[in-house]
């Protein structure tokens, strides 16, 4: 059994975080420089945490497998970041952001964590502006906002369609400042391959230098994982190609609980799949649903050009079914609705799947220039990929894997159940429950990194002896030996197929049986088919070259091997959770109108998977959830 | 369609490297350029040979990982696009495509088409930031910023750090990269206090990292996938001069 004490403060939620900060242990400023913290991952969460820890005086060793922190997948976030600033005076508040997020997550997240997230959201915007992040502004010089799904207020801050880029460059600049000051030692092109525990505490990591192949141990007083999500379990996703589960999976194998792996988000507006060679799917930001209208032809199998289909033969199904939220329903609802239309034969892509996202009305209403100013880069991107011009014809879109709400289990301090091991950003499971609202991942990553972890980590460090730096401990040698053995094994298979070949097979299986709709027979059959893919991988994969040099196939194969193991708990989690909630839709559990039907009596909890040893089935633990402020109700966006 | 690929193959940083020529058939128009390479690498893998190493990640033109010289042009034939945004519909049956790494003194080759661009990081570390501590900021709307200035700062900030400017410059200069970051920060009121110090420190770091000097060839602007313009370079030079005067004054 895992110790799943959330350590959430009791008492009124409005003051919980303040009281918590008062009560946690502080590290004496003179002692901070005697502690060293390892931060793995330098995306929004990791870069912001590294910079802030260093500013506070800690020594930081930061790691990324990328050639520079600026390449992290966070760079690709398009639409925006939420904050309860209420600059639009449209009735927003910390409480409303909290309420929207708990409801949007379909009552599967912790109230206290979410409330804190909403509280610090306002500080993030202040800080980023001070760093020079060039957010969009109004003519009066004040910050501009747009709306995102699942909210009836305009609270999303943005920088054209490149918000993630600008926020990451901000965090990267803060990190660079601390590298320059000597407080952060940056290790680029270094991949974490194991976590080292000593007397039950996380005290270091083992990495492989991706240029020289050297396997090295690094010791520290605490370890923070900020390694992003596992959306690439589906192979095709909007995630960057390098995104992977390796770091969190290795942490899991060292005893950290993995929470809600089946909570994955399928984003409704991506460019549809266009052939077997496709290597990734491109997101068209949710912000487009501010002005774009989603529709399909009323008649199934109608493949006339969009402009040739008259108004009265179109079904604007989101506006029809959800008149209150219309095109701005949350992602899970929008994705499932698209799937339903396709299943009924209303696809607009011949031989494939897609629905229309149409800007004709918005262009008529606001003019082409206004639309270009808001979405120009997205329209250009769409045209580059498809050859179609969205100013002239409706976009074709379809849902794709995008984000993972599941991740390492963490308590209120963002510490996993392994003392001294923390998880922040998309790598943890903390704030989004069963469905994340748009523009809330950037908010969470930066909240964790700038404003939460740098303080809560003191609570762990203060009573610990400082300056742990002993990589001669046998635990390091053991971990290094395991890493080398795995590398050698991959190099010696001598098969004929690429790692991608198996990744695609896995992705197809997961997409079909554990994607937008899941059933008991489907999940059971997937669980039966998965081991065969794994075995085939280990007998057929081709990894030429050497382990002592830059070897991209070796990197890829190692990551795929972990995904092949991870797939198992994803499927088992989906199978055990015999209810629908948020992005997890079990066909057996739906309302008469076909909406997700929760089963609060049996599933109002986080499911936390515990490693039981090689070849043994993982153990499912539960963390019960309590709702005192936002009472669980059937989510309705009608 | 069928194409001939002429690719720079280099086993490691110390290897001499040479061009290899391959035939690649069965390419379809909808494939992206990088997917074309993926498919070719699968063939090499099936034959048990090492695939062509090339960098990529987001595959949508924002991370700055991808890029090499394609028939002598950084990122290939399309204006305003990174290599991952090029599709095979830009080519026709029978074409020959020559692939070479970004070459510059400051970008050592690591393998095949992969180069080490960490010299860019060192320039940012020298001063590409506003020195503000987490938690020290005032309310974001306390200081309005004129929309035109905010928009221009954003344009300068859209650089993806791919290195095409350096690879295209006959001198291997990083002036476009460096000046765009200086412009982004120096234009904003928040960046004002460190304006001159920033420009001097970043330019010094650029010189230390073995990048060449700018002699106004403007090849950088012509190949920048984000359309960043050389006007930032003259702004940077002005900042430097003012910085020097300022220093002597005080
Ligand atoms: C196309 C797209 C658009 C999006 N748009 C939005 C949006 O508009 N608004 C929003 O709120 N959210 C958006 N998201 C989600 C959001 O971008 C991500 O959830 C968030 O950026 C994740 O940040 P992170 O710091 O947790 O991880 P990442 O940015 O993924 O960083 C992970 C880091 O970990 C490193 N790493 C991983 N594994 C290892 C290892 N084994 N060893 C060493 N280093 C490792 C990587 O190198 C990287 O530095 C979008 C996502 C996508 C895919
Ligand atoms: S792969 Fe990211 S810019 Fe090309």
């Amino acid at each position: 059994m895992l110790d799943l004490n959330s350590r959430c403060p009791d008492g009124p939620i409005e003051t919980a975080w303040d009281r918590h900060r008062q009560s946690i242990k502080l590290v004496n400023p003179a002692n901070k420089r005697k502690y060293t913290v390892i931060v793995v991952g330098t995306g929004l969460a990791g870069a912001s945490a590294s910079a802030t820890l260093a500013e506070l005086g800690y020594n930081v060793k930061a790691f990324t497998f990328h050639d520079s922190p600026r390449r992290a997948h966070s760079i690709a976030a398009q639409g925006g970041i939420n904050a309860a600033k209420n600059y639009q005076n449209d009735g927003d508040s910390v409480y409303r952001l909290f309420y929207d997020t708990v409801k949007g997550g379909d009552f599967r997240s912790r109230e206290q964590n979410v409330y804190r997230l909403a509280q610090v959201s306002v500080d993030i915007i202040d800080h980023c502006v001070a760093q020079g992040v060039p957010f969009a502004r109004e003519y009066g010089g004040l910050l501009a906002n747009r709306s995102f799904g699942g909210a009836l207020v305009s609270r999303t801050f943005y920088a054209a369609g490149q918000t993630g880029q600008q926020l990451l460059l901000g965090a990267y600049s803060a990190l660079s400042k601390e590298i320059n000051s000597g407080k952060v030692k940056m290790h680029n092109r270094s991949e974490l391959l194991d976590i080292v525990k000593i007397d039950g505490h996380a005290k270091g990591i083992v990495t492989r230098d991706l240029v020289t192949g050297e396997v090295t141990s690094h010791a520290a007083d605490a370890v923070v994982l900020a390694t992003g999500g596992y959306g690439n379990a589906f192979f095709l996703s909007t995630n960057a190609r390098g995104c992977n589960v390796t770091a969190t999976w290795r942490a899991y194998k060292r005893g950290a609980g993995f929470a809600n792996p089946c909570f994955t988000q399928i984003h409704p507006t991506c460019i549809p799949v266009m052939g077997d060679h496709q290597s990734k799917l491109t997101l068209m930001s949710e912000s487009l649903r501010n002005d774009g209208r989603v529709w399909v032809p009323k008649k199934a199998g109608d493949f006339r050009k969009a402009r040739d289909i008259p108004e009265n033969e179109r079904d604007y199904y989101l506006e029809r079914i959800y008149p209150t939220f219309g095109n701005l329903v949350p992602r899970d609802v929008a994705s499932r609705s698209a799937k339903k239309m396709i299943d009924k034969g209303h696809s607009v892509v011949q031989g494939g799947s897609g629905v229309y996202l149409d800007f004709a009305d918005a262009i008529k209403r606001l003019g082409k220039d206004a639309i270009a100013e808001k979405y120009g880069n997205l329209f250009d991107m769409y045209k580059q990929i498809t050859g179609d011009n969205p100013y002239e014809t409706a976009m074709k879109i379809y849902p794709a894997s995008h984000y993972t709400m599941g991740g390492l289990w963490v308590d209120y301090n963002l510490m996993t159940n392994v003392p001294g091991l923390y998880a922040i950003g998309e790598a943890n499971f903390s704030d989004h429950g069963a469905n994340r609202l748009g523009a809330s991942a950037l908010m969470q990553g930066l909240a964790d990194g700038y404003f939460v972890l740098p303080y809560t980590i003191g609570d762990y460090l203060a009573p610990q002896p400082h300056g742990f730096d002993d990589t001669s401990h046998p635990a390091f040698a053991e971990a290094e030996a395991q890493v080398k053995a795995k590398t050698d094994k991959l190099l010696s298979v001598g098969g004929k197929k690429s790692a991608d070949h198996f990744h695609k097979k896995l992705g197809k299986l997961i997409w079909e049986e554990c994607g937008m709709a899941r059933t008991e027979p489907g999940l059971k059959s997937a669980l039966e088919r998965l081991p065969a893919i794994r075995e085939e991988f280990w007998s057929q994969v081709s990894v030429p070259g050497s382990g002592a040099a830059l070897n991209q196939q070796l990197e890829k194969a190692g990551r795929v091997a972990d995904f092949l193991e991870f797939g198992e708990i994803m499927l088992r989690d989906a199978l055990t959770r015999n209810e629908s909630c948020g992005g997890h839709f079990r066909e057996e559990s739906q309302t008469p109108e076909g909406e997700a039907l929760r089963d609060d009596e049996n599933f109002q909890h986080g499911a936390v998977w515990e490693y039981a040893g090689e070849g043994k089935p993982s153990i499912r633990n539960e963390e019960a959830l309590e709702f005192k402020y936002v009472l669980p109700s059937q989510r309705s966006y009608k | 369609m069928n194409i001939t690929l002429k690719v720079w193959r280099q086993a490691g940083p110390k290897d001499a490297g040479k061009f290899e020529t391959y035939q690649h058939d069965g390419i379809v128009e909808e494939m992206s350029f990088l997917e074309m390479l993926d498919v070719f690498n699968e063939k090499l893998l099936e034959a048990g040979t090492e695939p062509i190493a090339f960098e990529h990640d987001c595959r949508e033109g924002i991370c700055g990982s991808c890029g090499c010289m394609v028939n002598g042009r950084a990122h290939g034939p399309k204006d305003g696009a990174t290599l991952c945004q090029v599709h095979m519909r830009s080519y026709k049956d029978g074409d020959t495509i020559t692939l070479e790494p970004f070459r510059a003194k400051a970008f050592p080759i690591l393998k095949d088409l992969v180069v080490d661009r960490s010299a860019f990081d060192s320039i940012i570390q020298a001063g590409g930031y506003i020195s503000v501590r987490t938690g020290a900021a005032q309310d974001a709307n306390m200081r309005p910023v004129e929309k035109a200035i905010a928009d221009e700062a954003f344009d300068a900030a859209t650089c993806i750090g791919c290195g095409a400017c350096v690879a295209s410059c006959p001198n291997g200069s990083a002036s476009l990269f460096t000046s765009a970051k200086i412009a982004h920060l120096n234009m904003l009121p928040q960046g004002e206090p460190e304006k001159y110090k920033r420009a001097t420190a970043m330019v010094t770091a650029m010189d230390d990292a073995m990048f060449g000097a700018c002699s106004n060839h403007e090849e950088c602007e012509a190949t920048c996938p984000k359309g960043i313009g050389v006007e930032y370079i003259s702004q940077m030079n002005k900042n430097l001069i003012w910085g020097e005067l300022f220093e002597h004054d005080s």
Side-chain angles (χ1 to χ4, degrees), chain B residues 87-114:
Chain B
H87 281 74
M88 292 313 287
R89 61 177 94 88
S90 300
Y91 294 90
K92 58 180 194 311
D93 192 42
D95 277 354
T96 296
I97 302 177
T98 304
L99 299 179
E100 243 185 303
F102 281 165
R103 290 188 195 275
K105 210 166 171 189
F107 288 170
I109 298 174
L110 295 177
K111 184 172 184 171
D112 298 342
L113 306 174
V114 180

Side-chain angles (χ1 to χ4, degrees), chain A residues 52 55 66-71 75-76 78 85 87 125-127 129-132 134-135 137-143 159-160 162 165-166 169 172-173 176-177 179-180 188-189 211 238 240-243 274 277-283 373 381 383-387 450-451 496 498 500-501 542 544-545 550-553, chain B residues 28 30-31 35 38-39 42 45-46 48-60 62-65 78 80-81 85 87 89 110-111 114-117 120-121 124-126 128-135 137-141 143-147 150-151 153-154 157-162 177 181 184-185 188 190:
Chain A
T52 307
E55 284 167 11
H66 285 102
D67 68 321
S68 161
R70 66 180 299 150
R71 311 265 187 241
I75 201 95
Q78 301 173 348
K85 280 287 198 185
Y87 283 161
I125 301 303
D126 297 343
H127 182 54
V129 166
Q131 280 178 335
F135 284 119
R137 288 180 184 265
E138 299 164 354
Y139 283 101
L142 302 179
L143 293 162
Q162 284 145 264
Q165 178 193 35
Q166 295 309 318
L169 292 180
Y172 161 70
S173 73
S176 297
K177 170 167 71 78
I179 295 171
N180 194 39
N188 294 334
R189 294 193 197 267
V211 179
T238 62
R241 296 264 296 171
C243 294
M274 281 182 295
H277 50 264
Q278 188 119 10
S279 60
K280 80 154 280 180
L281 295 171
T282 304
L283 175 75
E373 162 136 4
M381 202 192 266
K383 188 173 173 210
Q384 244 156 15
I385 292 172
T386 63
Y450 282 132
F451 294 105
K496 288 228 171 302
S498 68
D500 264 349
H501 169 86
S542 163
L550 181 81
N551 189 335
Q552 294 176 328
Q553 281 303 309
Chain B
V28 292
E30 301 85 66
M31 278 182 186
E35 285 163 1
D38 290 343
V39 173
E42 297 265 338
L45 275 169
E46 265 167 42
T49 35
E50 269 207 71
I52 302 161
F54 65 93
E55 289 206 277
H56 62 93
D57 199 21
C58 72
R59 296 202 173 196
E60 53 189 56
I62 194 76
C63 73
S65 297
K78 277 176 75 168
Q85 293 177 301
H87 281 74
R89 61 177 94 88
L110 295 177
K111 184 172 184 171
V114 180
V115 299
D116 178 358
R117 291 169 285 192
F120 272 180
D121 285 337
I124 301 296
Q125 284 157 19
Y129 42 77
I130 289 171
S131 302
V132 54
R133 252 175 303 109
T134 306
Q138 58 177 2
D139 182 86
N141 260 352
R143 178 165 44 194
V145 180
E146 206 182 308
K147 182 173 182 338
D151 287 351
F154 169 80
T158 56
C159 165
I160 58 173
C162 64
F177 169 84
K181 184 46 61 184
H184 156 213
L185 297 173
L188 292 168
Q190 304 92 299

Side-chain angles (χ1 to χ4, degrees), chain A residues 459-518:
Chain A
D459 198 43
Y460 168 77
L461 288 174
Q464 297 289 320
H466 46 67
F468 178 76
D469 192 22
D470 183 15
T471 51
S472 67
H473 191 284
F476 282 100
E478 183 253 351
E480 277 193 30
Q482 273 195 27
V483 165
K484 286 180 188 150
K486 184 150 185 187
T487 304
D488 291 344
K489 195 172 158 198
L490 285 166
L491 286 163
S492 64
V493 176
K496 288 228 171 302
K497 293 195 173 122
S498 68
D500 264 349
H501 169 86
F502 299 98
H503 195 176
K504 280 183 192 167
K505 272 195 161 174
L506 171 75
K508 189 160 179 287
L509 182 84
I510 300 223
W511 177 248
E512 280 168 4
E513 308 298 356
C514 198
M516 277 186 283
R518 302 152 178 196

Side-chain angles (χ1 to χ4, degrees), chain A residues 305-552:
Chain A
K305 288 208 176 95
R307 291 287 169 269
D308 295 342
I309 301 179
E311 232 9 76
N312 62 358
E313 293 179 36
R314 300 174 177 193
D315 180 8
Y316 294 90
Y317 58 88
L318 289 178
E319 296 170 24
R320 172 171 59 80
I321 307 171
Y322 306 99
T324 304
F325 280 71
N327 292 295
L328 281 173
V329 290
R331 294 176 174 175
D332 53 337
V333 177
S335 291
R336 253 189 325 271
S337 308
K339 181 175 186 294
K340 273 190 215 157
M341 291 297 146
I342 304 298
D343 289 349
K344 285 193 217 146
H346 296 271
S347 177
V348 301
V349 176
Q350 227 159 344
S353 304
V355 300
Y356 284 128
L357 178 64
D358 202 336
F359 293 87
D361 285 351
I363 292 173
K364 219 183 289 164
R365 193 175 68 244
L366 305 167
K368 191 176 159 186
D369 289 349
I371 293 297
E373 162 136 4
K374 277 191 184 168
Y375 312 115
N377 73 315
L378 297 170
F379 278 33
D380 292 347
M381 202 192 266
Y382 182 86
K383 188 173 173 210
Q384 244 156 15
I385 292 172
T386 63
D388 286 345
N389 181 354
Y391 292 102
E392 283 157 17
T393 180
M395 280 185 182
K396 290 175 186 154
I397 51 152
Y398 198 61
S401 155
H402 179 62
Y403 180 85
T404 54
M405 284 76 71
L408 290 180
W409 181 90
V410 289
D411 64 13
Y412 190 70
N413 285 339
L414 304 179
M415 188 164 86
T416 68
N417 56 299
V418 174
L421 180 65
Y422 289 76
I424 58 176
E426 195 174 337
N428 73 23
F429 90 121
S430 66
D431 296 347
H432 307 294
N435 173 58
R436 173 176 71 80
L437 291 181
S440 287
L442 301 181
M443 168 173 73
Q444 182 227 330
L446 291 180
D448 289 0
Y450 282 132
F451 294 105
V452 181
L453 174 101
Y455 308 113
T456 57
I457 202 168
D459 198 43
Y460 168 77
L461 288 174
Q464 297 289 320
H466 46 67
F468 178 76
D469 192 22
D470 183 15
T471 51
S472 67
H473 191 284
F476 282 100
E478 183 253 351
E480 277 193 30
Q482 273 195 27
V483 165
K484 286 180 188 150
K486 184 150 185 187
T487 304
D488 291 344
K489 195 172 158 198
L490 285 166
L491 286 163
S492 64
V493 176
K496 288 228 171 302
K497 293 195 173 122
S498 68
D500 264 349
H501 169 86
F502 299 98
H503 195 176
K504 280 183 192 167
K505 272 195 161 174
L506 171 75
K508 189 160 179 287
L509 182 84
I510 300 223
W511 177 248
E512 280 168 4
E513 308 298 356
C514 198
M516 277 186 283
R518 302 152 178 196
T519 65
E520 182 177 329
L523 289 163
K524 283 191 169 152
S525 128
L527 278 164
E528 275 164 24
R529 285 178 282 159
L530 182 59
I533 306 179
R534 222 160 28 217
E535 277 157 34
E536 204 194 330
F537 172 87
W538 282 107
S539 65
Q540 299 285 326
V541 74
S542 163
V543 185
S546 118
L550 181 81
N551 189 335
Q552 294 176 328

Side-chain angles (χ1 to χ4, degrees), chain B residues 195-213:
Chain B
K195 194 168 169 178
Y196 300 123
K197 190 173 149 236
R198 170 178 305 119
T200 311
M202 290 177 72
V203 172
T204 309
M206 173 174 83
D207 295 340
D208 291 348
M210 314 284 281
F211 289 104

Side-chain angles (χ1 to χ4, degrees), chain A residues 40-46 63-66 72-74 76-80 148 190-192 226-229 238-239 243-244 246-247 283 402-403 424-427 436 438-443, chain B residues 60:
Chain A
V40 188
T42 44
L44 280 179
F63 296 82
T64 167
F65 68 73
H66 285 102
H73 165 58
S74 294
Q78 301 173 348
F148 258 60
S190 295
E191 182 165 32
L192 174 148
T227 50
T238 62
N239 288 16
C243 294
N244 68 87
T246 290
L283 175 75
H402 179 62
Y403 180 85
I424 58 176
E426 195 174 337
R436 173 176 71 80
S440 287
L442 301 181
M443 168 173 73
Chain B
E60 53 189 56

